Structure formats: C-alpha cells, structure tokens
Amino acid sequence: MNFQSNTKANFKVVGTRVPRPDGVDKVTGRALYGADFNVPGMQVGLILRSPHAHATINSIDTSKATALPGVKAVVTSADLGVPEDESLRDVQDNCLARGKVLYDGHAVAAVAAKDMATAKAALKLIKVDYTPLPHVTDVDAAMKLDAPVVQEARADESVPEGCGPNVTHYCEFGHGDLESGFGMADLILERSFTTAATHQGYIEPHACVASYGTDDKADLWCTTQGQYFVRDLCSGILGIEGSQLRVTASEIGGGFGGKTTVFIEPVALALSRKAGRPVKIVMSRVDVFRATGPTVSSSMDVRIGMTKDGRITAAEAKLRYQGGAFPCGTVDMGAQAAFAAYDLKAVRTQGWNALTNRPKEAAYRAPGAPMAIYAVESVVDELCQQLDLDPLDVRILNAADAGTKSSYGPTFDQIGLMATLEAAKEHDHYHAPLGENQGRGLSCGFWFNFGGNTSVSLAINSDGTVSVTEGNPDIGGSRASISMMAAEELGVAYEKVRTIITDTSSLGQNDVTDGSRVTFAVGLATIKAARAAIRVMCGRVAKIWGIDEDAVVWEDGAAKPSGPNAGDFEPMTLADIAAISSETGGPIAGHHEVNAEGAGVSFGVHLADVEVDPETGATKVLRYTVFQDAGKAVHPDYVEGQMQGGAAQGIGWALNEEYIYGDDGRLQNAGFLDYRIPVASDLPNIDTVILEIPNPGHPYGVRGVGETPIVPPLAALSNAVSRAIGVRLHELPMSPPKILKAVMAKG
Amino acid sequence: MKNIHVSTTLNGDDAEFVCAPEETLLDALRNRLGLSGAKEGCGTGDCGACTVEMDGRLVCSCLVLGAEAQGAQIKTVEGMAIGEALHPLQQAFIDHAALQCGICTPGILVAAKNLLERNPDPTDTEIRYWLAGNLCRCTGYDKIIKAVQIAAADMRGA
C-alpha cells in the first residue's frame, strides 16, 4: 500500500499525555542506573589523577601497588597502544595520560583491587615522577603568541598564519557586504563578552562494569548516551573487533551531552583484561567535575548596526572558545548559530578554538550556541534600549522566516521563529507591570537539530502486542514517544506497545542520543518500521482474501479491502492477523535503517522577569516563560519538561555556575556546594507555550526540542538584570559580587 | 578495625548487616542490603539523591555511618509502595511527568513524603524550600512542585 508523504494532521495517540513506560521503575527504586549494576567476582577499579595543571610524566612506578595483596591489576597508558586515528588517540589520552598530564585531574594510572580500601591504598603506592610545566587556563591568555604550549602542532589546516601555538581551529561564516551594511546604520554598537565554563551537572556520576574474557570477547555495562559510540571508541582503544565487545546501556541519570564520550570505560576494560576479572569503576563527584566535560569558556566581540526604526543593517561576531587540552570544533556551531534568528543582508562570524590546561570539553545541550547567542542578543537589546525601540518588535522586524538565507548558509524551510515571537508578544507576561529594581529580558534561541544513523526493529507479537527495539538511551522520556508513534502508525493502543533499548549486538548502528535527534530520527525510523510491518500484514491478508495486495488498505489498526473489493471482506485487525501468523508465513516484523536527514531547526523565545537586590547584588527570577516550536509535540508533558529543564540550566549558567581555576591551574570548586546549580527554592514556576509548525522532514512534523531551551536564558537573564540595575553587563555568570560591583560603579 | 554487626529496622522489617566502621549507611543499603534506590550523586550531602528517613528524620545516607543504623527505623523509597499500590506521591510523579532521568526521584519522593506527613497542606514556597537540598538537573522543578501539590490534595481528600 502507499503512504502519503505529506505531514499527518489527525492524531489519536500522538499529542496525548500517557504515562511513561519506565515510570513505575523510577518511582519505586527499581530502575537500574550505571552504579546499580553488579556481576559476580567484580573488582573495584580506581583512577589516580594528576595534581598538576600541566606536567611532564618522567616515570610511573607501579611495582609497590602491584605487589599489594588484593590488587589484581594496575594499568597506565603503556598498557594501551597508540591509535593511528588522531581523534581516537585524543579520547584515549584523555582517559589515561601519555607522556604529559594536561590538566588538574587528568587520569594517570588505575588499579583493580578486591575492595575499595585496598584500591585506595594501592593508588597511594603508585609513584609518579612529574616535572611541572607552565600552564594556561584562560582563553585570551591561551591565544597569545607566547602562551604556554598545551600540545605541540595541533592546529588544523583552517588556522591562518600568525595565530598563537594553542589555536587549533578557525572558522568563518556569513554573506553580504559588511562595510556598506554598517554604513546604512544609524547606531553601531560593538561590545565584548566573556562566559565561564559550566558543567552539565548530571546527578549520576559516570559508572561502568567491564568484563573482558581471555578469548578477547568482552562485555561492558555503562551509563551513556550512546552505547554504539562507546563500543566503537573502546574497541578501537583496546584493539579488539567491534563485534566482540557488547555494550549495554543502563538507565541514565542525566547526560545533557556529557555522556556522549568515554572517560572510564576503556580503563575498566583494560583493567579487566589484565586482571582476568570483571571490574567496576564509579567516578566520584569531585572527579566528575575535574575530569569530565565542561563546556567551553568564551571571549567574544559582537558588532551590530541598526537603523533608528530597528532594522539590522550589518552584524559581525568574533568568537574565541577554549575547549580544554584537546582540539574541539565547538566554535563552529557557535559561529553558525550566533545570528540564526535574523534575516540579514550582511553578516560575518569568525571563530577560533584554543587549547588550555583544562579538561577536554564535552557536548553540553546545544554546544557552542548559548554563549554566542548571549552576546548577540545582549547587543540587540542594548541597541533597542538606546534607540528606544520595543525589543520584541525589533526581533519580529528582523526575524528569519521560511526562505531566509541563514547566516550560516542554508536557506530555511518552514521555521517557527515568527510564531514564537508573536506568541510572546500576545502573552500577558510581556505586558505585566514591573516594580522597583525589577527588569524584563528576552532572548531568541536556536538549535540546528540532528538526524543521523538510526536502526529500529518492530515485532508484531502473536498476542497482538508490539515490541519496538531501538538503540538510543532514553534521557527524557523518549521510550514513551517512540511507543506512541508506533501505536499511532499501527492503529493500536499505546499500552499494547513496549519499547526496549537494546545492546550493541542486537541492532545496526545508532548514533549517540544527542543533537535532539531521538524523537525525530528514532521516531521516523519507528514509523517506517511500522509501515514495513503493515506492508507484511496487508500482504498476508491479501493472500487470505485472494485479492491483490494493492487492494488492501490499513485503517484504524486493521486491514480492509478497498477499491472494487471494498466491503467484500470483514476487516482483519492487527491482533487477528498476528494470531494466525504462523499459518500465513511466520512471524511478522518491520525494521528500518536510515541515516536520517531533514531534522528541521528549532527556535524558541524566552521571557524573564527578575528583581535585583541593590544591597547584595542577588538576583531573584520572578517569572519565566518559554515559547518554543516543537514541530509536533509527541508527548507534550515531556516537551514542556525539556523546555523547563533547559531554561533552568540556562538560568544557572547565567547567574551562578562557573568553573573557577586558581593561579596554580587547579579547579577550586569541584563539588555541588561550590559549583551551585539551581535548587528548587531558586526558581519560579517555568511557564511553557508550545508552538507547532510542522517539520516537513518528519512524517508527523516532529522537530527536536531538547537543546534549544538552554540557549535563550543567558541573554534573557542578562538583559533583565541590565534593565533592572540600569547598567549593561557583559560577563557570565552574573554572580552577586559582580552585579554589586556594577551597581556601585554606576554610583 | 573489625567489622560491626548492625541490627536495624528497614522499611518495617527487621534487618541485619555487617559493615566496616567507616562505611556509610548509603553503602550499607546499596552493597550489604541490596537496596539500590538511594543513589550516590556526590557523597558529600550536597545533592540529596541518597535521602532516606532515619527515625522519622530526613538524612543524607552518605553522611550517616552504617553503624548508626543500630536500633533505628530506616525508611527508603523501596518502602513507599504498599504491595501493588503506589504511594500517592509516586502516582502523581508518574501522572504529571515530574521526573525525566529519574536519578533524583527516590530522594525527592522520600523527602516529599516526610514533608506531607508534617505539613499536609504546604505552599509552593514551602515545598521549594523543603526540597532545596534535593538537586534535580532535568526538570527545572516545576512539575515536581505541581506533582507534590496534587499528591498532597489527594492525601488530604483520602
């Protein structure tokens, strides 16, 4: 049978608020996360970390540790090979330092022992002889020509002549004639900004159990956003074939991008191989802060020209990001996202990445975008203030829309920016009165969204139920959405479907749960797998009825005769067909494999009201509203949950969160007491307005929603605080001392 | 030092375990008693994921020694549901999407239950301050506060 390619409009299951399938497990303590998994004979793995920001490793003496009774294995980078692939080598060198330690907390060696006390004692017996080297942790300092060199000769071919030795990457995007654009402006503002590195702050530390056999077959259980990528990285590092390493993802206690790579998993495998026993490693919170991925920190210059009636005539941004001790390309995404919300005739962004003696940056929800858009949206807001223009009207006047050539190249298809801006303008939040020391800020946000490699299998069970097998860890309720889309397409009740996330041996490649890709790409593959199963079912029924396969249609969960045969036979439901499948040709299943494209970009607009205490500089968020285009909200509760959770993380980034390094290059605040993420009493209710402008690239119009909402809070809060105190701020986080200083400087 | 034998009451049942003197109650629950509902998010009492009730008082079980459980009444998330019947808070958390990854959920449920036993009709602000020691990184707390209010209303009506 044929399926129409246009977007579906009438839904029965999609758009409802059904209970999530993992709900009972998670409210009763039954759900098993990374650290909850155990196997018999398991040893405790522990990692020794560098106390230096930057040092040469002259030697590592493990003999005393190895000799300690109860110690089963000690490993260093010498136990691993040196991968030819540069990016794999970087991942490995981040897991176990080779030759030099590059940041405070860099892993140096690891032990496996019978219990924690023995493992701790063994770590103390490992003698590492270091020669400390000069270090650099600040991005602007790292870009200088005479900066301490973090790694030699790591610049890629994009880096122009004359850059400092730590610059590894350069990028440039844009179009149009900047000079003539600025020439048409009535007001040009150029401002510089900095943002601190923040951590994803997932509450579950990294944890894994590795079991490596003497036959070079291995199993790994771990908390991760992508078991396939873990498999690829670990098999590459261990030098074994991918088929021989089976990786199973546990329930995941938050990731936000930070669990898209490996830190402890290859180490646990190496220990297990050497010890001949299973090894479990659970990171401490201190180690999570010191050695897993924070975001980049940034230093940025933005220049925008505007006419007195609010049209932007030209815009440019220079972004300098540091992503820690290894090369990263995050600045590309910042440079592409910076002006995505605007329809501009003349725009240019330039980006530089620099190495520093900090942990290797890992993805964090819309990586690279929040800081760039913070800088842009701050300058737009200041232009509006100086020209006495309504900041929402100015956004509407300049908004990108379908057909706009984006600042990073592609021409937009249907996008929801204008709809979110108009919804914000109509909302009573935008018109509510403000009191003394209060201010309102707004910001647009954007994320590209990804598709990627996806493989889904869907079985029609003989009792009329449906089993969906997919390979993407569920970090925000995706099993519910996937089941809903399968139920919708098949025409069965949601309760008849159960979606399972499987290990790496059971399905083809699935890219990491990132890029807001899962509801879009796995959903798309699930719908197509369901359609494949429907084709099989219609074929079976056609044979039973003795009519042409094309004369059977699938409606409301049943096969029906159509055309000249309409009404000739009683419809056969999915359950009817499933019950007799063994007599009609055997089990019925559908599957779909795709490298999904057409993810459809996502825009949001946030409104924030704050009150700043002029005595202390403390900011209270009074009211917060998120407007976002979801394309189609499959499960509205969890779409709202993404919008609220992203907003809360962005509020933390704006007001409190930062990596603080001392002059010694060591992290000063490696714990939740001093790295303060928002707690319940810090936040107001976060109101949400979901817009649905269908994504033409998905059968149901779905767009990814997870990342966009972390983008706008940075500028929304900064604009609100700046308006509340009457002084423009250019630095995040806006911690009370910084605000107080700005207030006092104003006089 | 020798291990310590501990007799305690766990979710209403007698329980015994042996632990090292320096071992935390959290580790004893997870590694000696097989209850992995309480989670270690920080080990320093900052995140609340290991929250349990000890003699009616909320504690971070990572900051309590296993040996201190001697003679005490310990209640964990595993003791909240009665047979097949979920506690109203558990049901409200599912029905109103008050969890995403779920790692903080056991601690938040134990803390919220303790609040509602003391104060059956709390304001939003009271809930927010009561739960300020339980970090959630996924939800922004909005749906958690609403679910606690819905469960509170349900329990007042029951």
Side-chain angles (χ1 to χ4, degrees):
Chain A
M1 63 176 291
N2 295 318
F3 296 97
Q4 292 179 337
S5 60
N6 57 338
T7 303
K8 186 177 163 79
N10 299 312
F11 295 97
K12 288 182 174 156
V13 182
V14 163
T16 63
R17 299 176 189 248
V18 294
R20 60 191 292 160
D22 50 331
V24 170
D25 281 358
K26 286 181 173 171
V27 300
T28 56
R30 235 182 81 185
L32 295 177
Y33 294 82
D36 301 334
F37 192 80
N38 299 299
V39 298
M42 199 171 69
Q43 306 292 307
V44 174
L46 216 51
I47 294 175
L48 182 70
R49 297 184 179 277
S50 166
H52 301 291
H54 194 193
T56 303
I57 301 172
N58 301 313
S59 63
I60 306 174
D61 180 359
T62 62
S63 57
K64 282 186 180 160
T66 307
L68 185 71
V71 171
K72 302 298 193 303
V74 182
V75 298
T76 67
S77 68
D79 291 273
L80 302 170
V82 182
E84 273 179 41
D85 179 81
E86 198 172 58
S87 64
L88 184 64
R89 197 163 66 231
D90 282 347
V91 172
Q92 177 181 314
D93 289 349
N94 191 41
C95 292
L96 277 175
R98 193 165 47 89
K100 279 209 305 186
V101 287
L102 300 172
Y103 55 91
D104 167 43
H106 196 168
V108 178
V111 302
K114 68 182 178 71
D115 54 29
M116 183 57 84
T118 310
K120 281 183 180 169
L123 280 197
K124 288 187 181 150
L125 295 173
I126 297 173
K127 295 293 169 227
V128 187
D129 181 32
Y130 294 106
T131 302
L133 298 166
H135 64 267
V136 60
T137 55
D138 174 76
V139 61
D140 290 318
M143 285 187 60
K144 289 185 176 155
L145 291 170
D146 59 351
V149 181
V150 178
Q151 289 197 54
E152 300 280 355
R154 293 306 305 268
D156 67 24
E157 64 285 349
S158 66
V159 177
E161 296 266 326
C163 287
N166 290 317
V167 176
T168 61
H169 184 68
Y170 170 78
C171 63
E172 193 174 322
F173 299 91
H175 57 253
D177 181 347
L178 280 181
E179 279 205 23
S180 74
F182 281 117
M184 289 186 278
D186 294 313
L187 178 62
I188 300 169
L189 290 183
E190 183 169 4
R191 297 286 182 262
S192 297
F193 300 86
T194 60
T195 63
T198 56
H199 195 275
Q200 297 83 353
Y202 33 82
I203 308 300
E204 180 202 31
H206 300 261
C208 70
V209 176
S211 181
Y212 196 107
T214 51
D215 54 0
D216 286 329
K217 292 181 171 59
D219 273 287
L220 178 70
W221 298 267
C222 61
T223 175
T224 177
Q225 290 175 241
Q227 60 272 45
Y228 295 84
F229 192 49
V230 170
R231 189 261 314 264
D232 295 349
L233 293 173
C234 289
S235 59
I237 290 169
L238 273 291
I240 56 173
E241 292 179 349
S243 62
Q244 302 308 310
L245 173 61
R246 183 176 62 165
V247 182
T248 308
S250 67
E251 288 293 342
I252 177 169
F256 315 107
K259 290 174 182 165
T260 56
T261 184
V262 295
F263 300 100
I264 54 174
E265 295 80 359
V267 180
L269 282 162
L271 285 169
S272 177
R273 176 163 68 184
K274 204 164 180 180
R277 296 155 199 258
V279 173
K280 180 174 184 172
I281 298 181
V282 181
M283 282 183 105
S284 68
R285 177 56 55 183
V286 170
D287 288 352
V288 170
F289 274 113
R290 286 171 79 205
T292 70
T295 61
V296 300
S297 65
S298 72
S299 160
M300 304 172 288
D301 310 317
V302 171
R303 183 173 174 232
I304 300 177
M306 193 179 273
T307 62
K308 60 182 186 313
D309 52 3
R311 190 72 179 103
I312 298 174
T313 59
E316 73 171 320
K318 292 175 180 167
L319 312 176
R320 296 169 294 275
Y321 289 6
Q322 68 74 29
F326 297 88
C328 80
T330 301
V331 76
D332 274 314
M333 291 186 277
Q336 292 179 74
F339 293 105
Y342 295 99
D343 179 9
L344 300 172
K345 287 205 169 60
V347 57
R348 183 175 68 168
T349 52
Q350 295 168 276
W352 293 262
N353 178 72
L355 298 177
T356 60
N357 294 110
R358 292 184 182 223
K360 186 179 195 295
E361 173 254 14
Y364 180 22
R365 210 167 193 162
M371 48 294 262
I373 289 177
Y374 150 69
V376 168
E377 291 291 276
S378 295
V379 175
V380 171
D381 196 60
E382 191 179 349
L383 283 162
C384 294
Q385 264 188 314
Q386 292 201 18
L387 292 169
D388 197 21
L389 297 167
D390 179 279
L392 204 38
D393 287 342
V394 167
R395 262 78 171 195
I396 290 170
L397 182 66
N398 292 283
D401 208 342
T404 297
K405 181 180 166 60
S406 69
S407 57
Y408 60 97
T411 298
F412 286 130
D413 206 322
Q414 293 298 320
I415 58 172
L417 176 60
M418 197 63 92
T420 54
L421 287 165
E422 282 167 357
K425 195 174 177 190
E426 285 163 20
H427 199 277
D428 67 343
H429 182 166
Y430 196 61
H431 308 283
L434 289 166
E436 201 183 352
N437 299 319
Q438 296 180 355
R440 175 168 300 140
L442 76 92
S443 171
C444 298
F446 163 82
W447 186 243
F448 310 91
N449 294 333
F450 298 151
N453 291 297
T454 309
S455 172
V456 168
S457 178
L458 181 152
I460 308 291
N461 302 313
S462 56
D463 65 351
T465 61
V466 180
S467 298
V468 179
T469 308
E470 53 124 328
N472 277 95
D474 177 351
I475 55 176
S478 59
R479 270 167 295 194
S481 338
I482 300 308
S483 290
M484 291 169 83
M485 285 186 266
E488 184 76 48
E489 195 65 27
L490 293 165
V492 299
Y494 166 74
E495 294 74 22
K496 295 285 180 195
V497 184
R498 186 168 181 193
T499 298
I500 294 292
I501 295 151
T502 193
D503 61 74
T504 52
S505 297
S506 307
L507 273 184
Q509 190 83 11
N510 283 283
D511 285 347
V512 172
T513 294
D514 70 358
S516 300
R517 71 174 219 92
V518 175
T519 307
F520 166 73
V522 180
L524 182 141
T526 300
I527 291 165
K528 296 201 171 174
R531 290 177 179 180
I534 288 171
R535 272 192 290 275
V536 175
M537 290 190 282
C538 289
R540 299 281 177 91
V541 170
K543 277 186 194 156
I544 293 168
W545 289 339
I547 64 174
D548 211 26
E549 205 173 309
D550 288 343
V552 181
V553 292
W554 190 263
E555 280 174 13
D556 299 329
K560 294 175 184 172
S562 72
N565 304 104
D568 289 356
F569 306 96
E570 278 295 303
M572 288 186 74
T573 66
L574 180 145
D576 296 337
I577 301 164
I580 57 166
S581 62
S582 64
E583 288 108 70
T584 61
I588 298 169
H591 62 95
H592 193 75
E593 293 77 28
V594 65
N595 187 355
E597 292 180 358
V601 300
S602 159
F603 284 94
V605 175
H606 291 200
L607 292 181
D609 293 358
V610 303
E611 181 170 319
V612 179
D613 183 338
E615 302 289 319
T616 64
T619 299
K620 182 153 187 63
V621 184
L622 302 172
R623 186 171 182 183
Y624 204 96
T625 310
V626 179
F627 305 84
Q628 192 178 318
D629 170 24
K632 175 68 197 175
V634 177
H635 193 309
D637 275 344
Y638 291 102
V639 172
E640 292 163 4
Q642 290 297 315
M643 291 158 73
Q644 292 166 332
Q649 286 184 317
I651 291 169
W653 199 332
L655 296 180
N656 279 309
E657 296 180 33
E658 64 179 315
Y659 263 49
I660 301 169
Y661 279 91
D663 291 340
D664 58 0
R666 298 175 71 175
L667 184 61
Q668 304 292 298
N669 59 334
F672 279 134
L673 191 62
D674 298 317
Y675 181 95
R676 197 176 181 292
I677 74 173
V679 304
S681 53
D682 291 337
L683 296 176
N685 292 341
I686 297 170
D687 295 325
T688 54
V689 178
I690 300 173
L691 287 303
E692 294 186 324
I693 289 78
N695 166 24
H698 186 280
Y700 296 171
V702 169
R703 296 175 195 271
V705 297
E707 285 166 293
T708 297
I710 201 175
V711 177
L714 284 63
L717 268 287
S718 183
N719 293 339
V721 171
S722 296
R723 285 171 182 262
I725 63 174
V727 186
R728 193 43 67 171
L729 298 173
H730 302 101
E731 186 183 348
L732 297 185
M734 297 177 291
S735 52
K738 284 186 203 157
I739 290 179
L740 202 55
K741 201 172 149 192
V743 170
M744 290 170 80
K746 183 184 70 166
Chain B
M1 249 169 94
K2 283 204 313 192
N3 281 345
I4 296 169
H5 179 263
V6 179
S7 300
T8 188
T9 307
L10 184 57
N11 296 323
D13 293 333
D14 292 345
E16 294 187 38
F17 62 92
V18 170
C19 69
E22 72 277 14
E23 193 168 324
T24 65
L25 175 60
L26 176 61
D27 281 343
L29 287 170
R30 292 177 56 84
N31 302 331
R32 310 274 182 183
L33 294 161
L35 294 186
S36 57
K39 308 296 181 190
E40 180 166 321
C42 66
T44 50
D46 298 317
C47 79
C50 66
T51 301
V52 301
E53 225 181 64
M54 187 170 177
D55 292 332
R57 198 164 58 91
L58 289 177
V59 295
C60 288
S61 59
C62 73
L63 298 183
V64 175
L65 291 172
E68 293 180 74
Q70 174 67 37
Q73 294 269 351
I74 308 292
K75 288 186 184 172
T76 71
V77 71
E78 286 92 345
M80 277 182 74
I82 311 293
E84 285 188 341
L86 294 178
H87 187 279
L89 276 163
Q90 293 174 311
Q91 193 62 50
F93 269 54
I94 297 175
D95 292 345
H96 302 283
L99 61 109
Q100 285 179 35
C101 83
I103 195 87
C104 70
T105 308
I108 288 187
L109 286 169
V110 170
K113 176 171 173 278
N114 190 275
L115 168 66
L116 297 186
E117 283 163 4
R118 291 160 191 264
N119 179 359
D121 193 8
T123 64
D124 280 8
T125 303
E126 285 169 334
I127 299 171
R128 285 186 179 276
Y129 276 87
W130 188 266
L131 295 179
N134 292 85
L135 301 181
C136 170
R137 192 59 158 170
C138 293
T139 66
Y141 304 103
D142 187 287
K143 290 185 191 300
I144 292 175
I145 308 305
K146 292 188 170 106
V148 173
Q149 287 291 23
I150 287 163
D154 183 24
M155 289 165 72
R156 287 195 303 274

